[in-house]
Amino acid sequence: MALQPSLRPTIIAGTHDAPHTLDIFLDYVCPFSAKLSFAIDNVLKPLVDVGGLYYGKVKVIMRLQVQPWHATSTYTHEAGLAVVRAAPEQFWTFSLALFKQQGEFFDGPSSNMTPLQIRENLANIAAQVITEEQLVMFKDLLKLKPSPNGGIGVTDDLKYTIKFARQNGVHVSPTVLWDGLIANQISSSWGEKEWSEFLAKNVVV
């Protein structure tokens, strides 16, 4: 499906011009999204990246899915979008690191943190995978603008991701689209067998 040019780094596997597309909607503070992210890294990426059976045939786009019933969801997705801007080549690496530490941002552990403290904790995770120079840009993107309700440096990108999900009827994570249509059969529990069977059945190029 269509992708705003500034979000091209969210193509996390396969070639940009691959004819088939998996749009995978994930929320950084959703346990099922974390489970699927690890399957993407361990199973799906090897199948569609260089040397894989479906290289050049399938691309995978991680769609950021803010779920407001998770109190920190917006902040975590702002951080992901800041990495897209500041260190695009490290977006997926950062995403995996955040999924592995998502428990820090669950409702209970984060209940007494201010927004600034939450963003600082997210910056600490980013510091694990990006350079000091990139981290400075990352933090600048997460700073509030001078106007009282003007958002931050990636607010427009955040609006795009939310509007995209809403207009396509995506309500929860994880949700997966195959060539633009929701594929309800895909599960966060899928392993190599299920993904291999799905691709063998649906890839037609």
Side-chain angles (χ1 to χ4, degrees):
M1 296 180 74
L3 183 65
Q4 182 173 289
S6 64
L7 297 179
R8 195 174 184 185
T10 60
I11 301 175
I12 57 172
T15 57
H16 296 121
D17 58 351
H20 288 297
T21 303
L22 276 164
D23 291 282
I24 303 182
F25 292 75
L26 301 175
D27 175 8
Y28 285 123
V29 285
C30 166
F32 298 103
S33 290
K35 187 176 182 180
L36 181 51
S37 76
F38 304 142
I40 292 169
D41 199 56
N42 295 322
V43 177
L44 192 54
K45 279 177 64 66
L47 287 169
V48 303
D49 274 341
V50 177
L53 182 61
Y54 300 101
Y55 178 68
K57 299 179 180 181
V58 179
K59 62 178 173 290
V60 180
I61 302 174
M62 178 179 165
R63 301 283 186 175
L64 302 181
Q65 175 71 1
V66 175
Q67 297 187 123
W69 48 88
H70 296 311
T72 63
S73 185
T74 295
Y75 300 118
T76 60
H77 289 285
E78 288 174 340
L81 291 166
V83 173
V84 167
R85 295 279 186 173
E89 73 286 350
Q90 292 299 106
F91 169 71
W92 181 240
T93 303
F94 168 79
S95 294
L96 286 175
L98 180 48
F99 277 124
K100 290 174 182 176
Q101 298 177 70
Q102 66 173 192
E104 299 174 26
F105 303 95
F106 286 172
D107 291 347
S110 66
S111 61
N112 292 317
M113 287 192 281
T114 68
L116 291 178
Q117 289 172 327
I118 292 169
R119 288 183 170 127
E120 186 59 35
N121 288 347
L122 289 163
N124 291 337
I125 295 175
Q128 300 170 17
V129 300
I130 65 178
T131 67
E132 291 184 8
E133 182 178 355
Q134 291 169 331
L135 185 62
V136 171
M137 183 177 178
F138 172 91
K139 289 182 176 181
D140 284 343
L141 288 165
L142 295 184
K143 288 181 180 177
L144 292 171
K145 294 180 179 179
S147 56
N149 205 28
I152 60 171
V154 294
T155 296
D156 286 343
D157 288 339
L158 184 71
K159 289 179 179 178
Y160 172 87
T161 64
I162 293 172
K163 290 176 181 178
F164 184 87
R166 286 178 176 176
Q167 78 166 13
N168 288 290
V170 177
H171 303 291
V172 297
S173 73
T175 295
V176 182
L177 277 61
W178 173 256
D179 289 344
L181 297 179
I182 293 176
N184 284 318
Q185 70 271 39
I186 295 177
S187 167
S188 60
S189 297
W190 276 19
E192 184 174 0
K193 176 179 180 293
E194 292 84 1
W195 276 113
S196 296
E197 289 176 350
F198 177 85
L199 293 172
K201 178 181 178 181
N202 291 282
V203 173
V204 297
V205 292

